[in-house]
Amino acid sequence: MSSVIVASPPVFGETVPVLEIAAGLVKRGHSVTALVGSRFAGSATAIGARHVPLPEGADFDDRQLLGANPERLALPPGPEQFNWDLINVFLAGMNTQHEVLQQLLDDDPDASLLSNSLFPGMWPVALGAPGRRPRKWVSVVAPAVIVEDDATTPTGPIPGLSGEEAVLAHRAANQEFHATLEPTRRAAQQQLEELGATEPMPAFYNAVYRLPDSVAALTVPEFDFPRATPPGSLTYAGILPPPRGAEPEKPEWWDDLGSGRPVVVVTQGTIANGDLGQLIEPTLTALADENVLVVATLGRDPSTLGVDPPANARVARYVPFDDLLPRADLLITNGGAGGTQLAVAAGVPVVMCGTTEEKPMNAARVAYHRVGIDLATATPSPEQIVDAVTTILGDPTYREAASRLSGAYAAYDPITTVETLLR
């Protein structure tokens, strides 16, 4: 049995994968301390971990900070909003994360650290600040892999190029991407200097992938872009099954999924569902007269829906994806990595409708591997939705490509992979 500290910023989509891995480690006999937000205290103790709360200054409710923050929403999607997120959500707690992490390592110097990739509490020591390092440090990447490579950019290889011309073009594009996150790098540099770091802060995503001993990416290489020079720290670990609470009852309409009509699932994820007029409502409107059954999972009370569901729609707050996706023919999503990959792993093509955070990177992978269509907007029109759904349901190559990738996902065991990296 080994001692493992698991740590994450208090963001739902970042914390849940770390705690799911922690649950697997506990079942295998490891002693786990969960350094996570107070919102997740019950989840941490329920899996058998010791909960240590993030200190004041590093703890917050991401539903307010990310989902409905007027300062954030006033920024245009893209680099400005992405830098705001990284600085105000993920970097803001670095100093206090560092302090509490050092206290835990002082108490247990032989502990290993399993951190979310956007938990920067170990960065100061990694860059020369005084303090202990864990026995092993493994970082878990939940979103798309974003690391510079001579064979690709964050949104895929540049079409029509080869040889040295392609290498130079990819290097230039990667440097341009780093430059868009320079405000984040400077903000991190200032905090690191205050903590006594002696080495300069690298480009943000170079820090993510090159500072830990190992990086476990929750994806498979078959869903990534081809890479020529990946960092030696990078390991593809596969995806985790969707989290489940108490076993929910099947909705009364469950048998309708076997009606013979194609089943189209639509979701805006767990955070970006404050305005269902972005994707859920246009989808219901667009497909009202189509020969499909639409299942809308809202992540919130169905009474908040701003349109009356048409006769061919079924609406729910939540339906477990591992039950629903095997019955689905298509997923329409705002583009989060978790839902996108769960669909592809189930052999289900996707329509991507996201423009913020890492969503364009996920959409680029979907388009590159032809497992779906990228609409390149978070607010598609009904006409765009109908065209995409009709195209995918009418072209079996999308389903065939998703089925091929499904077999790739089945070959991975993320808990075993992470446990091996922690040794």
Side-chain angles (χ1 to χ4, degrees):
M1 183 176 73
S2 64
S3 177
V4 181
I5 300 166
V6 300
S8 175
V11 175
F12 183 88
E14 310 296 340
T15 302
V16 168
V18 170
L19 287 181
E20 189 168 348
I21 296 172
L25 295 174
V26 169
K27 289 178 181 177
R28 297 182 183 203
H30 301 280
S31 174
V32 174
T33 297
L35 177 60
V36 295
S38 54
R39 177 185 171 195
F40 304 97
S43 300
T45 56
I47 65 171
R50 176 175 73 103
H51 176 242
V52 173
L54 287 168
E56 185 178 355
D59 198 3
F60 53 83
D61 188 328
D62 64 319
R63 291 167 293 188
Q64 274 73 53
L65 195 57
L66 279 171
N69 187 288
E71 180 183 348
R72 178 181 186 268
L73 294 177
L75 298 173
E80 286 187 65
Q81 196 174 92
F82 201 10
N83 276 290
W84 191 97
D85 291 349
L86 292 174
I87 293 169
N88 293 280
V89 177
F90 297 106
L91 290 183
M94 183 196 295
N95 293 24
T96 50
Q97 289 174 3
H98 164 77
E99 291 171 8
V100 70
L101 193 54
Q102 287 303 304
Q103 293 169 10
L104 292 174
L105 290 171
D106 283 341
D107 294 339
D108 188 359
D110 198 43
S112 294
L113 172 64
L114 176 68
S115 69
N116 172 268
S117 63
L118 298 179
F119 180 92
M122 185 48 61
W123 291 8
V125 173
L127 291 170
R132 292 184 183 273
R133 286 189 68 103
R135 184 172 58 85
K136 279 286 185 70
W137 174 18
V138 177
S139 178
V140 175
V141 172
V145 173
I146 305 173
V147 61
E148 64 184 57
D149 191 282
D150 287 350
T152 188
T153 74
T155 54
I158 298 173
L161 301 180
S162 61
E164 187 65 16
E165 184 183 15
V167 168
L168 293 175
H170 291 142
R171 287 178 181 173
N174 289 323
Q175 290 305 309
E176 183 178 349
F177 174 75
H178 287 322
T180 67
L181 297 181
E182 179 61 14
T184 296
R185 193 203 68 80
R186 289 197 303 267
Q189 179 68 47
Q190 181 177 346
Q191 292 188 66
L192 289 162
E193 290 175 356
E194 293 171 359
L195 292 167
T198 57
E199 299 176 33
M201 170 71 184
F204 182 82
Y205 278 101
N206 284 351
V208 167
Y209 285 89
R210 301 184 190 279
L211 295 184
D213 298 318
S214 301
V215 174
L218 296 180
T219 187
V220 297
E222 291 84 353
F223 189 61
D224 198 9
F225 301 122
R227 295 190 178 276
T229 53
S233 59
L234 176 62
T235 296
Y236 294 93
I239 62 170
L240 297 160
R244 298 188 73 118
E247 192 65 26
E249 292 185 9
K250 295 288 193 299
E252 59 182 14
W253 47 260
W254 188 254
D255 289 343
D256 295 347
L257 299 176
S259 67
R261 289 179 291 177
V263 175
V264 177
V265 178
V266 59
T267 178
Q268 284 183 213
T270 56
I271 297 296
N273 54 20
D275 178 8
L276 298 178
Q278 290 185 328
L279 182 57
I280 300 283
E281 293 170 8
T283 297
L284 295 175
T285 300
L287 302 180
D289 297 324
E290 300 296 317
N291 185 31
V292 297
L293 181 68
V294 181
V295 178
T297 62
L298 308 186
R300 55 187 298 193
D301 191 325
S303 67
T304 61
L305 195 62
V307 298
D308 292 330
N312 69 338
R314 306 293 182 265
V315 177
R317 176 193 291 269
Y318 166 74
V319 181
F321 264 19
D322 50 352
D323 291 335
L324 180 58
L325 287 174
R327 312 288 297 273
D329 295 275
L330 176 63
L331 173 70
I332 302 175
T333 172
N334 67 338
T340 300
Q341 291 196 98
L342 286 170
V344 175
V348 178
V350 288
V351 175
M352 302 292 281
C353 308
T355 57
T356 57
E357 299 98 23
E358 88 290 353
K359 294 179 178 69
M361 288 80 162
N362 299 329
R365 285 161 172 79
V366 164
Y368 181 83
H369 293 289
R370 282 193 56 80
V371 293
I373 292 174
D374 174 19
L375 293 182
T377 176
T379 56
S381 68
E383 292 76 18
Q384 287 176 297
I385 294 169
V386 169
D387 286 347
V389 169
T390 302
T391 298
I392 290 176
L393 294 181
D395 184 347
T397 62
Y398 289 101
R399 185 84 187 203
E400 291 164 2
S403 295
R404 286 194 298 271
L405 273 180
S406 176
Y409 280 100
Y412 286 79
D413 179 352
I415 305 298
T416 296
T417 298
V418 171
E419 184 182 36
T420 300
L421 293 174
L422 286 167
R423 289 176 183 160

